[in-house]
Amino acid sequence: MAEYFGTAVEDIFNTMEERFIPEGTHGVDATIGYNISGEGGGNWKVTLKEGTLKVERLDAEVTGCAVTLNAEAETFVGVTLGKIDAGEAFSGGKIRVDGDITILVNVLPKAFRQFTPVIWARDILATVRERFRPEKAEGVNMKIGYDLSGEGGGQWTVVVKDQTCDLKEVLDDDCTVVMRMEAPVFVDLNQGKLDGATAFTSGKVKIDGDIGAAGQTASLFEKYVAEGAAEEKGEELISLKCVPSINQRYATGPAVGRWFDGLKEKKFYASKCPNCERTLVPPREICAECRVRCNEFVEVGPEGTVTLIDVVYYASPDPLTGKIRETPYTALFMVLDGASRDESFAHDLNPKDIDRIKPGMKVRPVWAEKRTGSYKDLLYFEIAD
Amino acid sequence: MEISYENTKDCKVMTGKMALPNQYFAGRVGSKFIIALRDEHKILGVRCEKCNKVFVPPREYCEKCLSKLDESWVELSNEGVITNYTVVNYNDKHLPRRAPYILALVKVDGADTPFPHIVEGIDVEDVKVGMKVKAVFAEETTNTIRDLDHFEPL
């Protein structure tokens, strides 16, 4: 694939959908043809109509559009990236426009966000030598390994020694620390889109070896700045990120303690109000309606009937582990067999059942193999059929 | 089963850790305040002309008359007076110092509002309301209020 300024013509058209701003095309009904000649070129037809976008690649020259742009691949990419002055290219005859040029000038900037070239892990690592800060590396002697998987991945070793820095395209066996992650995660980290501590606590980054050394690496290098990116400097605004680790201590009391004892034996215990006779799941010491102590426990479940389903798509941390949850996950509300009708109890649903789950369905608990009388004993519920 | 305060048979204590990814945005006014501490070692406040009050740390609106204040910056002294204090006597990892340390309300000269900060260089028994102090700035920036590291007696 022919590239100009590190970008292929195709990249520009392939990213149109994600750069599209539907609100920017209010009242617009236009077709734009692109005939890009030379190596890596091609013919594309872009249709913009009232907030919708269609990008087609054609086999032959595009005709019959409201406006058609003809240019060499290198010129087209250069102008798109701002490396070549559009006005000069136009007056110099390198870009030929047929039809209504105002569409290109007035509509396109509102309809699309600026194209930014894809940044690869390789591009970022290629700049480590020039970003190295020898003054911060006094007495530092280490090898930082990167094991990046997925698209654009690979293995690299950054060697810091005697206040010099070198890059090798191989993972040495004797690295001080090796950081393993998917290549796009590495790119996001270096662009500041992802915070290092969050990536680590959420398991996106795995660190083998000296964790302290991994933390030190950031100070050894200047921040990566993509070529040609954000040269204009705005007002400095301060935004701080941190991932505090908070110690938790939960005292169950006798009623919920009994509940956990039950889980160990694969049983659900509810407390029962001596006055209104409703069951409380999980058990509580006092019936909040009658305000009397509930001294009796009854066994309910283990199966239940679904009353409500919450499918959550927002990636929040799981308070029990601190890890960012896989999404979607489901909070399932159910009435356990034998429990009072209004006493629904919430727990997780096996993710494989998300597409099938409906209110009224019977569900059954799935237990941990090894149970110790804690919340970890009950894994989740699944459809019982 | 008898439930009473004495009955601890079924009581359990569970411990764990929670990681909470947080993001704090200082805002335009807060950013300017911290940047002045960091780059110029200056304490900035904002003045409400209507109420004739100077607020530190600066805020965007006057708490009394709700006038917008983000254009009325004033540079204040790095010296001030302790208007109140407490001694922190416990340790926790989120705290900025090991106990015991002094957390005082310091009103810098030219300001009408005090703000809390650490006071060092004096024994916790010897701190007094009315004591004159001066700001000591941090060598390493954290982009927080702690770019002003602490106050110490004059």
Side-chain angles (χ1 to χ4, degrees), chain B residues 19-76:
Chain B
L20 279 183
N22 262 278
Q23 185 165 352
Y24 169 73
F25 176 47
R28 293 184 63 203
V29 168
S31 295
K32 186 166 174 170
F33 173 64
I34 290 168
I35 290 164
L37 292 179
R38 181 190 72 191
D39 297 347
E40 299 172 61
H41 291 184
K42 279 179 183 167
I43 302 173
L44 297 185
V46 286
R47 178 194 299 281
C48 177
E49 298 294 348
K50 221 165 146 184
C51 305
N52 196 27
K53 266 194 181 295
V54 174
F55 297 102
V56 187
R59 54 213 72 177
E60 206 166 350
Y61 293 92
C62 173
E63 63 189 25
K64 289 215 165 71
C65 69
L66 305 181
S67 301
K68 199 151 201 241
L69 305 179
D70 61 344
E71 298 295 332
S72 52
W73 291 90
V74 282
E75 190 187 320
L76 301 165

Side-chain angles (χ1 to χ4, degrees), chain A residues 257-268:
Chain A
R258 183 68 184 267
W259 166 263
F260 286 120
D261 285 340
L263 297 186
K264 196 172 174 179
E265 311 154 23
K266 300 193 190 178
K267 283 176 180 167
F268 295 119

Side-chain angles (χ1 to χ4, degrees), chain A residues 52-263:
Chain A
T52 64
L53 165 75
K54 199 162 102 183
V55 182
E56 299 161 272
R57 184 166 190 173
L58 306 181
D59 293 331
E61 189 146 311
V62 190
T63 53
C65 291
V67 61
T68 307
L69 184 147
N70 306 280
E72 291 254 353
E74 184 174 1
T75 309
F76 176 70
V77 173
V79 168
T80 306
L81 292 177
K83 300 277 183 194
I84 297 176
D85 184 72
E88 258 171 46
F90 185 69
S91 55
K94 291 196 157 185
I95 296 179
R96 207 182 74 242
V97 176
D98 301 327
D100 184 1
I101 192 167
T102 61
I103 295 175
L104 299 182
V105 180
N106 297 334
V107 175
L108 286 190
K110 287 186 202 147
F112 295 101
R113 273 180 282 276
Q114 181 71 33
F115 174 82
T116 44
V118 181
I119 295 167
W120 299 99
R122 175 177 300 278
D123 303 335
I124 294 170
L125 281 158
T127 62
V128 289
R129 285 191 207 95
E130 52 205 72
R131 290 189 288 118
F132 181 61
R133 304 163 74 181
E135 73 279 9
K136 296 276 177 184
E138 215 169 308
V140 179
N141 189 352
M142 65 173 163
K143 285 185 168 185
I144 312 150
Y146 292 97
D147 183 5
L148 309 180
S149 55
E151 200 184 351
Q155 293 185 324
W156 288 268
T157 305
V158 176
V159 184
V160 176
K161 197 181 172 186
D162 302 332
Q163 292 185 284
T164 64
C165 169
D166 201 15
L167 177 73
K168 295 199 277 185
E169 212 167 312
V170 62
L171 191 62
D172 279 359
D173 293 334
D174 58 345
C175 281
T176 320
V177 58
V178 178
M179 293 186 249
R180 300 179 204 279
M181 67 196 97
E182 291 193 12
V185 171
F186 177 80
V187 175
D188 286 353
L189 281 171
N190 279 277
Q191 290 189 286
K193 290 181 184 170
L194 185 65
D195 165 66
T198 310
F200 180 61
T201 39
S202 65
K204 283 186 173 146
V205 176
K206 297 204 167 45
I207 299 178
D208 290 340
D210 186 348
I211 290 197
Q216 196 185 357
T217 56
S219 66
L220 296 177
F221 301 95
E222 301 280 356
K223 251 176 94 173
Y224 173 76
V225 180
E227 201 192 332
E231 272 159 16
E232 76 272 26
K233 215 177 160 197
E235 176 184 358
E236 183 183 354
L237 294 173
I238 290 177
S239 176
L240 302 165
K241 283 183 176 171
C242 64
V243 187
S245 167
I246 298 168
N247 290 327
Q248 303 281 308
R249 185 180 180 276
Y250 169 60
T252 63
V256 175
R258 183 68 184 267
W259 166 263
F260 286 120
D261 285 340
L263 297 186

Side-chain angles (χ1 to χ4, degrees), chain A residues 249-254 256-262 264 372-374, chain B residues 8-15:
Chain A
R249 185 180 180 276
Y250 169 60
T252 63
V256 175
R258 183 68 184 267
W259 166 263
F260 286 120
D261 285 340
K264 196 172 174 179
T372 58
S374 91
Chain B
T8 53
K9 180 169 84 75
D10 290 321
C11 296
K12 298 175 190 306
V13 172
M14 297 184 180
T15 55

